[in-house]
């Protein structure tokens, strides 16, 4: 939160509104801003870091879980090139992504099965909710966070699941997924919203 953490109200009641507005303006200006990038594997980087690889990605479990737990759409009116933010106390973290800010990198053993993102955050996995994008990537809703829409499945996880995907006979462009000895219809979506600065 802002370094000027307390508001000292004036003695003159007529000055209350102006005094509070001035304090709020100072508080907003003092907020620290950071800029991050999420790649297709779900790895998180400070935007300016080069090269971006596993060695330079951020790895602290507690930080990653906090960061991704608080991802939301950027409604601040600031830095429109960054479609997502993660608020952290007195800091605002602005996010760009290669595709989606939430990337599922693992599928836990089950049942119940769970998709894992961040360091160790998870959501329930619903095989029938898998979405195939026209870009060849695989997605799943971020369950419990409808505001985030779809999360991306990391390529290695998508390859693992794609072994069970078959095109339905006598149909055009319709697919089913065999998972845990059950068959599920899956949706093909040609218009998936991506980050405004998507680096495909």
């Amino acid at each position: 939160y802002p370094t000027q953490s307390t508001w000292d109200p004036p003695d003159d009641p007529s000055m209350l509104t102006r005094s509070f507005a001035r304090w709020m303006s100072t508080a907003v200006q003092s907020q620290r801003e950071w800029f991050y990038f999420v790649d297709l594997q779900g790895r998180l980087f400070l935007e300016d870091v080069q090269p971006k690889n596993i060695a330079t990605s951020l790895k602290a479990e507690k930080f990653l879980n906090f960061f991704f737990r608080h991802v939301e759409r950027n409604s601040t009116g600031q830095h429109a090139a960054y479609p997502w933010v993660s608020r952290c106390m007195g800091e605002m973290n602005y996010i760009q992504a290669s595709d989606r800010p939430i990337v599922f990198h693992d599928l836990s053993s089950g049942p119940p099965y769970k998709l894992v993102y961040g360091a160790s955050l998870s959501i329930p996995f619903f095989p029938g909710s898998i979405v195939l994008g026209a870009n060849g990537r695989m997605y799943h809703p971020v369950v419990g966070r409808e505001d985030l829409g779809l999360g991306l499945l990391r390529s290695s996880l998508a390859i693992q699941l794609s072994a069970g995907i078959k095109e339905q006979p006598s149909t055009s462009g319709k697919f089913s997924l065999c998972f845990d000895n059950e068959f599920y219809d899956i949706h093909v979506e040609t218009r998936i919203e991506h980050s405004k600065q998507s680096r495909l």
Side-chain angles (χ1 to χ4, degrees), residues 53-136:
N53 54 42
I54 191 169
T56 60
S57 64
L58 298 166
K59 303 177 184 67
E61 180 175 353
K62 185 176 180 180
F63 170 76
L64 290 175
N65 283 342
F66 186 94
F67 185 96
F68 285 105
R69 184 182 290 116
H70 292 88
V71 169
E72 60 185 78
R73 293 183 182 274
N74 182 0
S75 59
T76 66
Q78 304 294 319
H79 306 294
Y82 297 80
W84 314 93
V85 297
S86 178
R87 303 172 190 268
C88 179
M89 300 294 287
E91 299 180 351
M92 181 67 75
N93 302 310
Y94 292 89
I95 307 165
Q96 287 184 351
S98 284
D99 190 331
R100 308 294 298 164
I102 301 299
V103 180
F104 303 111
H105 56 77
D106 198 9
L107 179 63
S108 69
S109 299
Y113 296 95
K114 293 186 177 183
L115 288 168
V116 182
Y117 68 101
S120 56
L121 302 173
S122 65
I123 63 164
F125 173 54
F126 298 109
S129 294
I130 286 289
V131 175
L132 296 180
N135 55 13

Side-chain angles (χ1 to χ4, degrees), residues 43-54:
R43 295 178 297 213
L44 181 67
F45 304 87
L46 282 166
E47 185 182 52
D48 293 337
V49 167
Q50 293 295 340
K52 289 180 170 60
N53 54 42
I54 191 169

Side-chain angles (χ1 to χ4, degrees), residues 15 20 27 29 35 42 58 68 81 87 95 111-112 114 132 135 139 141 144 159 166 176 179 185:
M15 297 295 291
F20 183 71
Q29 292 174 11
F35 299 88
L58 298 166
F68 285 105
R87 303 172 190 268
I95 307 165
K114 293 186 177 183
L132 296 180
N135 55 13
Y139 302 84
I159 291 171
K166 305 293 182 184
S176 60
F179 181 82
D185 292 336

Side-chain angles (χ1 to χ4, degrees), residues 95-193:
I95 307 165
Q96 287 184 351
S98 284
D99 190 331
R100 308 294 298 164
I102 301 299
V103 180
F104 303 111
H105 56 77
D106 198 9
L107 179 63
S108 69
S109 299
Y113 296 95
K114 293 186 177 183
L115 288 168
V116 182
Y117 68 101
S120 56
L121 302 173
S122 65
I123 63 164
F125 173 54
F126 298 109
S129 294
I130 286 289
V131 175
L132 296 180
N135 55 13
R137 297 172 187 161
M138 194 177 293
Y139 302 84
H140 186 283
V142 185
V143 179
R145 290 295 309 275
E146 286 72 18
D147 57 312
L148 295 180
L150 298 172
L152 174 69
L153 271 66
R154 182 177 178 171
S155 57
S156 58
L157 180 55
I159 291 171
Q160 174 186 333
L161 290 174
S162 65
I165 294 178
K166 305 293 182 184
E167 187 169 8
Q168 296 178 2
S170 304
T171 63
S172 176
K174 293 186 178 181
F175 298 84
S176 60
L177 169 66
C178 180
F179 181 82
D180 202 21
N181 298 317
E182 297 285 343
F183 284 89
Y184 303 87
D185 292 336
I186 56 177
H187 182 60
V188 178
E189 178 57 70
T190 59
R191 300 174 63 184
I192 293 176
E193 175 193 2

Side-chain angles (χ1 to χ4, degrees), residues 12-55:
D12 183 355
S14 66
M15 297 295 291
L16 282 173
T17 301
R18 183 177 301 176
S19 173
F20 183 71
R22 187 164 51 247
W23 176 81
M24 284 297 295
S25 176
T26 301
V28 170
Q29 292 174 11
S30 66
Q31 186 176 62
R32 297 179 66 186
E33 297 178 342
W34 300 91
F35 299 88
Y36 290 87
F37 179 73
V38 180
D39 72 3
L40 293 173
Q41 307 305 313
R43 295 178 297 213
L44 181 67
F45 304 87
L46 282 166
E47 185 182 52
D48 293 337
V49 167
Q50 293 295 340
K52 289 180 170 60
N53 54 42
I54 191 169

